[in-house]
Amino acid sequence: MTASPVGHMTAVLPQMIADLETLVCCESPSADLDAVATSAAVVTELGTARLGVPPERIVVEGRTHLRWRLGDAPSRVLLLGHHDTVWPIGSLARHPFSVVDGVVSGPGCFDMKAGLVMAFHAVAALPDPSGVTILITGDEELGSPSSRSLVEEEASACVAALVLEASADGGALKTARKGVSLYHVTAHGRAAHAGLEPERGVSTTLELAHQVLTVSALPDAERGTSVTPTVLTSGHTTNTVPDAGRFAVDVRVRDTAEQSRVDRAMRALRPVLSGARLEITGGPNRPPLEHGSSAGLLARAITLAGRLGLPEPVGAAVGGASDGNLTAGVGTPTLDGLGAVGGGAHADDEHVVVAELPGRTALLAALTDDLLTDPPPRTGARRAGPVFQGDRP
């Protein structure tokens, strides 16, 4: 790196903004495989220009992911991001890329294409990037259905994972994320005419009403556990006792013990109405990213920020999940939220604060270099806990 890391990143800031415009102007909604493939090609070209080497292009179930393994040394530090977004094709027409009064706007700029630009420029500034792996996936916004095993495999080989998701409020790093479980409770009953002989039916609407109340009693606010029944459907016509229906349940937890408790309770649900039958599907989706996984990396970031003349980073616990949950779940120390400062993720006011980019990128470069030269110990083992399965978080 240069003698003045922040000064170097300030000097290349115009290039960073141009790179961000290139990525934002290539729309990449997760569900559109062609769009994601096109975006991967654009990210490949940009990353190759900054790093000097092309990535491996990994296609799983039609979804395109990119991996740079730099140098000849074994992988030690994983920089992790995604190039897919929640924004459908055509969003640029309503929310075009712009830079006004030091603020970048545009779909996907904050979540998380600015993070990709930061990763490329940070690694390009390293004196020796050997041992760095950059993994950029194409389905994170869907819950990483095709990239989950890839993320876990790469993280398992590294001593640390640095996640380029956008920052928490005020630029805070994300030092804890809740784990996620997702369920469907399906009820089977018996149909009957609602006016002529309703007593012959077994109503799944009524059965599900009982189950929703039971599930709604499972949260534990003191432990930060939410258990939220969400979408509910039952029946097909207004004059028929419904014989089929289901509702979804979203669970967020701070620790795996709570995830296991809720899982046991969900699988213990039993029908209330005679003749009704229940089917419980789903389960734990992502383990929590707990403070213990990030504490050592946050301490390093604080020390390095002081050396760089930057404000002291602070940590924040957030409810949303990311691929950082997956890296922490395999025992790899993980620090999340190292990407852009701004706000409005997934919303019309999505934006990035330009003035924060040089310092954040310099800190990322310094932290990566520090981990390469002085790697921390890692647990090397997946945490004990529930079995995790894929679905959208």
Side-chain angles (χ1 to χ4, degrees), residues 6 21 26 34 48 66 89 125 139 143 205 244 269 284-285 301 313 332 360:
V6 178
E21 181 175 10
C26 180
D34 291 338
T48 301
L66 304 173
I89 296 293
D139 64 353
T205 297
L269 293 174
N285 169 267
T332 302
R360 298 282 288 198

Side-chain angles (χ1 to χ4, degrees), residues 343-369:
H346 299 192
D348 290 347
D349 63 339
E350 184 167 4
H351 65 279
V352 170
V353 179
V354 173
E356 297 286 350
L357 285 171
R360 298 282 288 198
T361 308
L363 178 60
L364 175 63
L367 183 56
T368 304
D369 191 45

Side-chain angles (χ1 to χ4, degrees), residues 23-45:
L23 296 186
V24 170
C25 289
C26 180
E27 295 180 296
S28 53
S30 307
D32 188 327
L33 297 182
D34 291 338
V36 171
T38 299
S39 171
V42 172
V43 175
T44 293
E45 183 176 0

Side-chain angles (χ1 to χ4, degrees), residues 108-375:
C109 64
F110 182 60
D111 184 15
M112 58 160 288
K113 293 187 175 181
L116 306 186
V117 172
M118 292 171 60
F120 291 146
H121 282 268
V123 174
L126 296 178
D128 180 7
S130 185
V132 173
T133 293
I134 301 176
L135 179 62
I136 300 175
T137 65
D139 64 353
E140 192 275 343
E141 295 291 4
L142 296 177
S144 310
S146 71
S147 62
R148 180 185 187 117
S149 60
L150 182 63
V151 170
E152 293 176 333
E153 178 184 354
E154 292 299 322
S156 295
C158 292
V159 297
L162 306 179
V163 184
L164 274 300
E165 290 282 358
S167 69
D169 291 347
L173 302 178
K174 295 174 179 176
T175 51
R177 287 184 179 271
K178 288 187 177 182
V180 180
S181 298
L182 303 168
Y183 298 91
H184 277 105
V185 178
T186 302
H188 303 277
R190 184 168 60 245
H193 195 291
L196 296 178
E197 45 186 6
E199 69 281 356
R200 290 174 54 88
V202 178
S203 170
T204 53
T205 297
L206 184 56
E207 178 62 44
L208 291 176
H210 285 292
Q211 299 301 329
V212 165
L213 292 175
T214 299
V215 169
S216 296
L218 295 177
D220 187 332
E222 290 187 1
R223 297 195 65 172
T225 301
S226 63
V227 183
T228 308
T230 56
V231 178
L232 183 149
T233 61
S234 183
H236 304 288
T237 64
T238 59
N239 61 350
T240 303
V241 175
D243 65 347
R246 73 175 188 168
F247 68 94
V249 183
D250 180 291
V251 181
R252 308 280 167 150
V253 298
R254 288 178 182 159
D255 58 73
T256 54
E258 275 293 272
Q259 203 161 30
S260 295
R261 177 188 70 82
V262 174
D263 188 61
R264 290 192 299 270
M266 289 296 301
R267 300 191 188 286
L269 293 174
R270 296 295 180 264
V272 174
L273 302 182
S274 177
R277 180 169 60 87
L278 291 183
E279 181 183 0
I280 313 300
T281 56
N285 169 267
R286 295 189 183 212
L289 165 57
E290 299 180 39
H291 286 290
S293 180
S294 60
L297 296 177
L298 177 62
R300 286 183 185 238
I302 290 172
T303 298
L304 293 168
R307 294 175 186 171
L308 294 169
L310 297 172
E312 180 175 306
V314 297
V318 297
S322 81
D323 283 343
N325 294 67
L326 304 182
T327 60
V330 296
T332 302
T334 297
L335 187 59
D336 204 337
L338 284 158
V341 177
H346 299 192
D348 290 347
D349 63 339
E350 184 167 4
H351 65 279
V352 170
V353 179
V354 173
E356 297 286 350
L357 285 171
R360 298 282 288 198
T361 308
L363 178 60
L364 175 63
L367 183 56
T368 304
D369 191 45
D370 188 60
L371 289 165
L372 289 173
T373 55
D374 182 21

